[in-house]
Every structure is written in C-alpha cells, then in structure tokens.
Amino acid sequence: DIQLTQSPSFLSASVGDRVTITCRASQGISRYLAWYQQKPGKAPKLLIYSASTLQSGVPSRFSGSGSGTDFTLTISSLQPEDFATYFCQQLNTHLPWTFGQGTKVDVK
Amino acid sequence: QVQLVESGGGVVQPLTSLRLSCAASGFPFSAYGMHWVRQAPGKGPEWVALIWSDGSETYYADSVQGRFTISRDNSKNTLDLQMNSLRVEDTAVYYCARSGARYCRSLDCFGSFALDVWGQGTTVIVSS
C-alpha cells in the first residue's frame, strides 16, 4: 500500500498567518491527491482534488500544489473557521486509496 | 440539497454481522459511484469500498475483503454495506461518500475527482 506522511502533525498558528502543510507519498502518485478539512464530530470536507483543483465553494485562500511524491496545502491567510484537522488522500489507480495521519491546526 | 444520511450502526459482538445503509437525496444517485469510508477513534480516515454508478464493479480495502459487501439500489437511492465476521478493529464511524464526478468508468476518473459529498456518519462498535 502507498503510505502518506503529513508534516507537521500539529501546527499552532494565528489568524492571518500563512499556513503550509506537506504530504509525502511513499511512491509516485502523479496528481491523484486530495485534501480534506475535518472539524470535531463532523465528516471530512473536500477542499482540493487532483492536487491543485479547488473544490467548488471552497475559499480561494486554500491552494494545493505538487505531483509525484510531494504535495503541499497552503492557506494564505488563516481564518477563525480554518482551525481544524487536515488530511491528504491518495487516489492512485492502484488500490487501496489511503489517507495521511492528519495535521491539526490550532490556535497559537 | 445534496444529502447523504447513514443509518444502521450500533454495538455488536465480534464475529457477528451488521448492515449499514445510506440514503441519498438531492442529486441523481444512479449517476455517481459511491464509497464507504471509516474512521476509528483518534485516527485518520480509511477508505473501505467503492461501487460504480450502475453497481457493475466493486472494490474493497484488503482489511475488509471477503467480509464486507457494498451494494446499491438505484430505484430507492440507497447504498448499503453488509459487514460480516466483525472484528474489534472494525470499530469506527462509517461514512458514505459520493464520487466527485458523474459516470466514472475507470479508477483514473474516480481518482481524479476524489470524494465530494459525505454523510454525517454512523458509529459501529465491536466489543465483547
């Protein structure tokens, strides 16, 4: 199975900060990568698919980049509603699809 | 509005069975592939199974292959997950989720558009 390693696992930030989360795959996955946001007790919410395509309705402060094995989620200016846990998911054509372990973004 | 509502979770003993259901509304259910994803307490999500829009193809995670069966009834807009021989490690919140694109007929398509709509989840606890 393809392993995804997110870094950091925890991140303390302030409103207005630029936040960057990385996701590294154990083997190349082209651009088959998605990012999700999850708040406590809620389902994950799709933010980015195909590594860099913004899901409809998601604010433009969220952006994704990368291909192959290294990917990045950036929040350009952190807002109060962005404090949450973020997961990457690889959806390579070889199953199974796997998720990263998550990055929790909390208040500094 | 687009909505997925899971049901059927509960507390069961190891080696027993449980059937989860997901009711879809607000979109053409028969046009979309559907997934089950689970999340154990304090862990990241785990993809469980995928079924094509017409039910003709199914895929499973190795951890559930041979024990779980995904199915759908497009006339009733429902998705099911039959879970047999349950184990303690199957304890999780189970989500149904929609594929991000209509009429996907390849893993490349499913992989390109991810999972765009999720239900609120139903909790399964396997304990003796």
Side-chain angles (χ1 to χ4, degrees):
Chain A
D1 297 359
I2 296 174
Q3 309 302 316
L4 295 178
T5 302
Q6 288 183 233
S7 60
S9 296
F10 299 93
L11 189 160
S12 293
S14 301
V15 172
D17 284 354
R18 181 180 182 89
V19 168
T20 300
I21 299 168
T22 65
C23 179
R24 174 163 289 176
S26 59
Q27 62 188 76
I29 56 170
S30 185
R31 295 177 59 80
Y32 294 108
L33 190 102
W35 289 97
Y36 299 87
Q37 176 193 70
Q38 188 176 33
K39 296 182 178 179
K42 300 294 186 181
K45 172 188 174 183
L46 179 64
L47 301 174
I48 302 281
Y49 61 94
S50 290
S52 62
T53 303
L54 193 67
Q55 172 68 2
S56 176
V58 174
S60 59
R61 63 181 179 272
F62 291 93
S63 64
S65 64
S67 66
T69 60
D70 294 308
F71 301 86
T72 299
L73 173 70
T74 300
I75 309 172
S76 59
S77 178
L78 195 69
Q79 297 302 299
E81 60 268 31
D82 301 338
F83 292 102
T85 300
Y86 294 84
F87 294 97
C88 55
Q89 180 196 18
Q90 66 82 17
L91 302 104
N92 193 41
T93 51
H94 292 95
L95 296 171
W97 293 324
T98 51
F99 289 82
Q101 84 281 8
T103 296
K104 184 175 182 179
V105 178
D106 64 8
V107 180
K108 181 183 286 185
Chain B
Q1 73 279 21
V2 175
Q3 194 172 14
L4 298 170
V5 178
E6 302 91 338
S7 61
V11 181
V12 296
Q13 293 192 331
L15 301 179
T16 61
S17 299
L18 199 62
R19 189 176 186 91
L20 305 183
S21 291
C22 171
S25 59
F27 66 97
F29 179 70
S30 63
Y32 288 86
M34 296 294 296
H35 304 257
W36 285 99
V37 177
R38 68 185 181 183
Q39 189 169 26
K43 302 291 187 181
E46 178 189 13
W47 173 81
V48 171
L50 161 67
I51 187 167
W52 284 19
S53 58
D54 62 359
S56 61
E57 294 280 339
T58 58
Y59 305 88
Y60 298 93
D62 290 347
S63 57
V64 307
Q65 180 78 49
R67 299 188 299 123
F68 290 11
T69 302
I70 187 172
S71 62
R72 64 190 297 158
D73 186 336
N74 286 344
S75 67
K76 297 181 179 178
N77 290 352
T78 58
L79 174 73
D80 288 341
L81 185 68
Q82 176 67 41
M83 304 186 295
N84 297 332
S85 301
L86 281 162
R87 304 168 180 169
V88 170
E89 55 265 35
D90 295 320
T91 294
V93 176
Y94 284 73
Y95 298 99
C96 63
R98 189 182 80 170
S99 174
R102 298 188 187 197
Y103 303 121
C104 279
R105 304 289 291 179
S106 69
L107 292 179
D108 169 72
C109 178
F110 286 112
S112 295
F113 295 97
L115 287 63
D116 71 337
V117 178
W118 296 59
Q120 86 290 349
T122 188
T123 299
V124 173
I125 298 174
V126 184
S127 174
S128 55

